[in-house]
Amino acid sequence: MSELGWAVWAALALLLLYLLRVNQLLSQTPDEIRKLSGPRWTRAQLEATYKRLQDSPLDYTDKIPPKLDRRYVVTGGSAVSMPGLVGGYIVLQLLARGTPPECIRIVDIRRSERSDIGAGTAAAAVDFAQADIRSASAVTAAFARPWPAAAARLPLTVFHTAAVIEASERSPRRYAFPAAVNIDGTRHVLAAARAAGADVFSATSSGSIGLRPVGAFAAPWARAPRGFWQVLDVADFQAPLRPRDGYFANYAASKAVAERLVCGASGEAFRAGCIRPANGVYGNPTDNTVGDPLSRAILPTWTPHIVQSFVHGANVAIAHLHHEAVLARPWAESARQAGRPFVVTDPNPPIAYADVYAAIRTLSAHAFRTVEVPPVAILLLAHGLELYDELALAAGGGVLPALAGDLRHLKPPIMSICTHLVAAGDEARRPPAEGGLGYAGVLTTLEGVALEVLEWNREHAHASASAGARKKYTTSVVLAEQIQRLPVTAPQAAAPSRGETDG
């Protein structure tokens, strides 16, 4: 063999050794994270929690902040995914604490698939105004619709939860869409809220804003990839906005700008701020975090060892109600909390994705198993798919087939959002007198995941337990694709649709 041949083989051997080292680093759980995480869930623990929730439905009404005599607009309170997840729970909690349906309006692009806010529920009587928040005129029209006489003169709170979530995109070519919804949409909702006379504005932000991109291709001698474990806090809020590529994905970059818009609009007459849910958000079979695995018979995964602070949609919603309660106080008592974000998480240590998989495997009526894939294989594939996507975009439509299905979302940012993330929620838990919100989660992650599987099983109780019988939900990923294909809609001239919505 020639010297060149030996050199090539030596280089390939070194590359293989390097990739094996990267895979080893990406497959570990650092000691710092292991100490923060609780013990893994056992089968007995899962079955006992499931049976308790099945026999005694959880009622946390007494833990919801007391009713305020106000009217409400909830953007994103109907559609599926995280916006509809959080917004839907806000609507349910408002009703549970005694707010009449005629004092609540949902503004969203589509009606809900959620069974707990559908036909036959108390939420079915809530007014629904269809609007694409990318359209300023559509948002203005939705806010300007007449209110019933009993609600018209009440002060107005706006809960802005509408957004699109694309956690796998970082290309500048794909920034326009999340910017149009998350930034321009927030700007439109802020303007409409002011015009409608709102004095309290609470927006759902994202804990991923604080996340720095992970340097997965670590030096061979490194103890861990750069940013392999991070604390999700609000330290970044005290610094200037980073450039777009300083965030892990376009989603986080657009949400960071939107968060600054909301907090920057706050003042004595218009008190505004944000709730940052930790990663990942779950709470209904329509979500990505638990619902997507539930919908699959076989789940390829590289994340069983990944530890994160989860947060149930009901906990995010109750954080918004605590946020509102503080902001609705006189300025002297709410100035410290206004104009800033708060991180919230479930009231327990972070868990591992292995816990979620164990819960589905143990509790679901459907067969479920995982197939572990080496992280380095996902990393290499993700970079290859991203390069292909960039070439397809540069070449123009129709030249190269567009990525479709799961492959479209398998790009390098996934390696950042699927890393060890621990949320710092101490500030939100402090009493209002100490600058906090007095937030306390009403569901642990164990209870929340078991409850979601219980709901899944109930919705499939009359169907075969075969893989083909699984109900298909519209997740946030699918919804974002659908919205992106839609033209920006003009305001509807139809009369109020109170009682017609199933969301």
Side-chain angles (χ1 to χ4, degrees), residues 74-79 81-94 104 106 108 114 117 159-162 204 313 316-317 320:
V74 183
T75 70
S78 177
S81 78
M82 193 181 87
L85 183 63
V86 174
Y89 276 115
I90 289 175
V91 171
L92 290 174
Q93 290 176 9
L94 289 173
I104 307 171
I106 295 171
D108 211 337
R114 288 181 55 167
I117 57 175
F159 292 112
H160 176 47
T161 75
T204 307
V316 183
H320 274 292

Side-chain angles (χ1 to χ4, degrees), residues 104-244:
I104 307 171
R105 175 176 300 159
I106 295 171
V107 176
D108 211 337
I109 197 168
R110 55 168 287 176
R111 301 178 188 274
S112 179
E113 292 181 5
R114 288 181 55 167
S115 60
D116 55 356
I117 57 175
T121 69
V126 170
D127 184 24
F128 174 78
Q130 185 174 12
D132 184 338
I133 64 171
R134 293 175 293 176
S135 166
S137 58
V139 175
T140 299
F143 272 72
R145 283 166 54 149
W147 289 84
R153 296 186 180 277
L154 295 175
L156 174 63
T157 291
V158 174
F159 292 112
H160 176 47
T161 75
V164 290
I165 304 171
E166 289 187 312
S168 60
E169 300 291 352
R170 63 177 180 178
S171 170
R173 298 174 187 270
R174 294 196 178 277
Y175 186 61
F177 172 58
V181 178
N182 298 341
I183 300 175
D184 295 340
T186 296
R187 188 178 286 113
H188 299 156
V189 173
L190 279 168
R194 284 183 176 278
D199 61 347
V200 172
F201 191 100
S202 180
T204 307
S205 186
S206 172
S208 70
I209 290 174
L211 174 60
R212 295 273 184 172
V214 173
F217 289 109
W221 53 85
R223 290 181 58 244
R226 174 178 50 81
F228 192 49
W229 70 271
Q230 299 183 43
V231 175
L232 300 181
D233 55 21
V234 295
D236 64 285
F237 188 73
Q238 307 305 321
L241 281 169
R242 305 194 292 272
R244 183 196 57 80

Side-chain angles (χ1 to χ4, degrees), residues 248-316:
F248 91 94
N250 290 338
Y251 167 68
S254 65
K255 291 294 284 185
V257 175
E259 182 181 87
R260 297 296 176 103
L261 287 174
V262 171
C263 294
S266 186
E268 184 172 356
F270 185 79
R271 281 152 276 175
C274 295
I275 298 297
R276 287 189 182 184
N279 194 71
V281 183
Y282 70 103
N284 186 270
T286 58
D287 67 53
N288 290 312
T289 307
V290 180
D292 181 68
L294 268 170
S295 69
R296 300 173 185 261
I298 301 174
L299 178 70
T301 178
W302 69 98
T303 62
H305 63 294
I306 294 295
V307 171
Q308 294 191 349
S309 296
F310 281 45
V311 62
H312 194 281
N315 287 334
V316 183

Side-chain angles (χ1 to χ4, degrees), residues 184-490:
D184 295 340
T186 296
R187 188 178 286 113
H188 299 156
V189 173
L190 279 168
R194 284 183 176 278
D199 61 347
V200 172
F201 191 100
S202 180
T204 307
S205 186
S206 172
S208 70
I209 290 174
L211 174 60
R212 295 273 184 172
V214 173
F217 289 109
W221 53 85
R223 290 181 58 244
R226 174 178 50 81
F228 192 49
W229 70 271
Q230 299 183 43
V231 175
L232 300 181
D233 55 21
V234 295
D236 64 285
F237 188 73
Q238 307 305 321
L241 281 169
R242 305 194 292 272
R244 183 196 57 80
D245 58 5
Y247 296 90
F248 91 94
N250 290 338
Y251 167 68
S254 65
K255 291 294 284 185
V257 175
E259 182 181 87
R260 297 296 176 103
L261 287 174
V262 171
C263 294
S266 186
E268 184 172 356
F270 185 79
R271 281 152 276 175
C274 295
I275 298 297
R276 287 189 182 184
N279 194 71
V281 183
Y282 70 103
N284 186 270
T286 58
D287 67 53
N288 290 312
T289 307
V290 180
D292 181 68
L294 268 170
S295 69
R296 300 173 185 261
I298 301 174
L299 178 70
T301 178
W302 69 98
T303 62
H305 63 294
I306 294 295
V307 171
Q308 294 191 349
S309 296
F310 281 45
V311 62
H312 194 281
N315 287 334
V316 183
I318 209 165
H320 274 292
L321 295 188
H322 281 289
H323 194 214
E324 179 210 16
V326 173
L327 295 182
R329 295 182 178 186
W331 181 244
E333 300 177 31
S334 60
R336 292 173 65 186
Q337 290 90 340
R340 54 174 298 196
F342 289 88
V343 173
V344 297
T345 185
D346 284 347
N348 52 266
I351 68 164
Y353 275 89
D355 292 320
V356 175
Y357 303 150
I360 297 172
R361 191 182 302 113
T362 303
L363 305 176
S364 175
H366 295 83
F368 173 80
R369 67 184 179 92
T370 57
V371 176
E372 293 194 28
V373 182
V376 73
I378 299 297
L379 178 63
L380 294 175
L381 180 59
H383 279 275
L385 291 172
E386 183 179 57
L387 177 60
Y388 175 89
D389 190 55
E390 285 293 318
L391 291 173
L393 289 171
V399 178
L400 292 173
L403 295 173
D406 290 343
L407 289 181
R408 183 186 170 190
H409 308 289
L410 186 56
K411 295 176 184 173
I414 290 296
M415 303 305 295
S416 292
I417 199 66
C418 292
T419 192
H420 304 287
L421 303 173
V422 178
D426 291 345
E427 290 187 331
R429 290 190 288 266
R430 289 175 186 157
E434 297 177 13
L437 303 180
Y439 161 76
V442 295
L443 284 166
T444 66
T445 309
L446 174 60
E447 291 173 326
V449 172
L451 195 61
E452 184 165 341
V453 179
L454 175 60
E455 181 177 353
W456 168 273
N457 289 343
R458 284 173 174 165
E459 291 194 7
H460 292 80
H462 303 296
S464 165
S466 66
R470 283 175 165 85
K471 182 177 178 180
K472 294 295 183 183
Y473 296 94
T474 308
T475 66
S476 65
V477 171
V478 175
L479 180 61
E481 292 176 354
Q482 293 175 353
I483 294 173
Q484 192 167 10
R485 291 193 293 265
L486 294 175
V488 178
T489 56

